[in-house]
């Protein structure tokens, strides 16, 4: 036998019950977004590497270690997208939308790629749903985006198992002074930090807060907090965001250590954690990024968004006991000779038109016994048996699989018979 080829580490196939849950998540999310005026955007999976270097920052783990980057046949440095925001901002600017429709709402769903060590809830190809809202600087825009995610959890029956963490990471006016204060404080405890954190003091000091090592975490408590260095405008913005969330009865917890690793966030930053995810408990995260459109060559345009991880959402749903939706009611037509196969395919089209059942035709040419076995493996609710005898008499045999009950039904009446069952 030829050697088998397996999938790439950290990249998984999706099918069966998992994919049914997945499609339910997609359908709930897209309906929820569309009904709130968000339109879908699909951008290419490959982008110029420079896009991610500029957006995420050279000294982030994503750009430094985790991107799938290569040079194409013309020598262009390209990368598989590790996240969605950079591409969407690029597309928004490229289409001239900041000038045409300064208030734009987008949602997206699709695969992202990061070369990380796979573990529960962490894949190399993973999938995100997200939204981006452009052109609105008001605190109410932050509340709108957070409320959208909150409603998504609610529609999936998850609110009890999820907590929202909130922080304000300041802006271009107040952050530089904070970074200086942070760097000075980090230098003072440098010897007690891990090698990664030591390196970050100069390259990307905010990222130290992402370190999970207990020794480093113990130091963080005493470091200056960004929230205490917010300027008046940031403080007032954050106060309004909190007031808005309270008005909508959305519970949150302030987390002064939540900075979200990426350089582009300004002001509001948030993250949802979910039960059952173990060490990878960040289910979704996002924030305001008021400088990014301008940094990528567009006009100054405020923006805010979030992204959630589908693999982690699936685990959270399983933990919360929300099972995959059952596959839809189905009919298997079992033809017993070639002539009946054609009649069965004709009937399939008629039944699909007249009912909402899933209808399949077994064109294997196998014996009735084998076809019945296959139908029960497919979890068919009904089978319709058509052989030469049935064709002659004009009556097919309909069997209810759960009870074993059989009934003769005129072939021409089948489209009326099944809707009656219901
Ligand atoms: P981030 O852009 O890192 O904030 O990611 C947003 C969300 O995507 C996270 O909260 C996770 O749910 C999900 N996510 C990020 N990286 C991975 C990964 N390697 N595997 C699975 N999900 C991920």
């Amino acid at each position: 036998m030829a050697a088998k080829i397996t999938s790439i580490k950290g990249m998984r196939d999706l099918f069966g019950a998992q994919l049914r849950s997945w499609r339910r998540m997609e359908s709930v999310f897209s309906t929820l977004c569309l009904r709130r005026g968000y339109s879908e955007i699909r951008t290419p999976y490959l982008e110029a590497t420079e896009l991610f270097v500029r957006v995420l920052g050279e000294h982030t783990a994503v750009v430094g270690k985790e991107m799938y980057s290569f040079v194409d046949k013309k020598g262009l440095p390209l990368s598989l997208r590790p996240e969605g925001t950079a591409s969407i901002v690029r597309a928004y600017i490229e289409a001239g939308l900041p000038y045409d429709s300064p208030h734009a709402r987008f949602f997206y769903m699709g695969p992202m790629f990061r070369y990380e060590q796979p573990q529960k809830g962490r894949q190399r190809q993973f999938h995100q749903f997200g939204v981006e809202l452009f052109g609105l600087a008001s605190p109410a825009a932050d509340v709108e985006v957070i409320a959208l995610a909150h409603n998504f959890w609610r529609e999936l029956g998850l609110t009890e198992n999820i907590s929202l963490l909130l922080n304000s990471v300041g802006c271009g006016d107040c952050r530089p002074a904070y970074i200086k204060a942070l760097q000075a404080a980090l230098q003072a405890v440098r010897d007690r930090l891990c090698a990664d954190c030591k390196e970050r003091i100069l390259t990307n000091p905010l990222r130290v807060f992402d370190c999970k090592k207990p020794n480093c975490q113990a130091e963080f408590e005493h470091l200056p907090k960004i929230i205490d260095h917010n300027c008046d405008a940031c403080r007032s913005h954050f106060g309004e965001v909190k007031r808005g969330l309270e008005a909508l009865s959305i519970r949150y917890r302030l987390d002064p250590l939540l900075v979200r690793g990426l350089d582009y966030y300004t002001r509001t930053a948030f993250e949802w954690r979910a039960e059952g995810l173990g060490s990878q408990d960040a289910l979704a995260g996002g924030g305001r990024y008021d400088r990014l459109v301008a940094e990528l060559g567009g006009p100054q345009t405020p923006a805010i968004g979030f992204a959630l991880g589908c693999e982690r959402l699936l685990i959270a749903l399983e933990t919360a006991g929300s099972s995959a939706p059952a596959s839809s009611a189905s009919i298997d037509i079992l033809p017993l000779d070639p002539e009946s196969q054609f009649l069965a395919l004709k009937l399939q089209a008629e039944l699909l038109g007249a009912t909402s059942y899933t209808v399949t035709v077994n064109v294997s040419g196998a014996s009735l016994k084998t076809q019945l076995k296959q139908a029960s493996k497919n979890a068919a609710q009904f089978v319709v048996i058509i052989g030469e005898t049935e064709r002659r008499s004009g009556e097919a045999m309909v069997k209810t699989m759960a009870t074993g009950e059989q009934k003769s039904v005129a072939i021409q009446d089948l489209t009326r018979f099944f809707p009656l069952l219901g």
Side-chain angles (χ1 to χ4, degrees), residues 29-276:
F29 187 71
S30 54
T31 305
L32 190 127
C33 290
L34 289 167
R35 295 196 61 202
R36 283 164 177 76
Y38 289 71
S39 54
E40 188 177 3
I41 182 163
R42 298 187 189 189
T43 58
Y45 299 172
L46 269 182
E47 297 274 1
T49 298
E50 192 201 343
L51 173 69
F52 303 115
V53 174
R54 272 182 46 196
V55 171
L56 307 177
E58 212 170 324
H59 299 292
T60 52
V62 173
V63 167
K65 300 186 203 144
E66 297 169 3
M67 284 213 296
Y68 280 88
S69 299
F70 63 96
V71 173
D72 80 357
K73 293 185 198 309
K74 280 255 164 76
L76 285 176
L78 303 178
S79 293
L80 281 168
R81 62 183 189 187
E83 55 109 63
T85 303
S87 310
I88 293 166
V89 174
R90 189 226 10 92
Y92 173 68
I93 297 169
E94 198 170 330
L97 294 176
Y99 304 98
D100 287 356
S101 36
H103 302 170
R105 289 174 167 82
F106 292 114
F107 74 96
Y108 62 94
M109 306 188 283
M112 307 294 160
F113 305 85
R114 292 185 198 171
Y115 195 83
E116 291 188 273
Q117 208 42 46
Q119 63 179 84
K120 180 180 170 190
R122 195 158 78 191
Q123 295 284 116
R124 289 184 174 173
Q125 176 177 324
F126 61 100
H127 299 75
Q128 288 185 339
F129 295 168
V131 308
E132 312 292 355
L133 168 52
F134 291 104
L136 293 159
S138 67
D142 307 34
V143 177
E144 171 182 325
V145 163
I146 294 173
L148 186 150
H150 177 81
N151 285 309
F152 182 49
W153 314 135
R154 212 174 50 181
E155 286 202 25
L156 294 174
L158 266 185
T159 17
E160 290 311 308
N161 318 70
I162 287 184
S163 47
L164 167 63
L165 305 179
L166 199 62
N167 195 16
S168 172
V169 298
C171 66
D173 290 339
C174 54
R175 200 150 59 183
Y178 168 72
I179 299 282
K180 277 212 180 102
L182 178 63
Q183 280 175 319
L186 285 168
Q187 289 292 8
V189 296
R190 191 170 195 279
D191 294 344
R192 298 201 282 273
L193 301 175
C194 72
D196 283 346
C197 284
K198 277 190 186 126
E199 197 188 314
R200 287 174 186 146
I201 298 177
L202 291 179
T203 59
N204 193 356
L206 274 182
R207 279 296 301 234
V208 296
F209 294 115
D210 291 339
C211 182
K212 297 276 186 287
K213 297 195 184 81
N215 283 355
C216 295
Q217 293 240 333
E219 298 300 329
F220 297 163
E221 270 177 53
H222 314 295
L223 291 174
K225 307 290 180 304
I226 200 160
I227 188 97
D228 301 324
H229 287 71
N230 273 198
C231 59
D232 288 347
C234 286
R235 232 195 311 275
S236 140
H237 183 97
F238 195 46
E240 286 301 285
V241 172
K242 289 188 285 186
R243 230 162 54 78
L245 294 176
E246 281 149 26
L248 271 72
S249 305
I250 298 176
R251 271 183 289 159
Y252 61 85
R253 193 151 49 84
L254 295 178
D255 181 354
L257 297 184
L258 175 80
V259 291
R260 311 235 345 110
L262 306 178
D263 283 354
Y264 59 60
Y265 288 114
T266 49
R267 293 195 166 162
T268 320
F270 43 90
E271 193 165 285
W272 286 270
R273 305 224 170 119
E275 287 168 17

Side-chain angles (χ1 to χ4, degrees), residues 341-369:
Q341 289 181 339
F342 298 142
L343 175 59
L345 288 168
K346 194 163 158 257
L347 266 174
Q348 179 190 37
E350 288 171 11
L351 283 170
L352 286 173
T355 73
S356 57
Y357 285 91
T358 297
V359 186
T360 54
V361 179
N362 189 326
V363 288
S364 65
S367 69
L368 178 59
K369 198 171 153 208

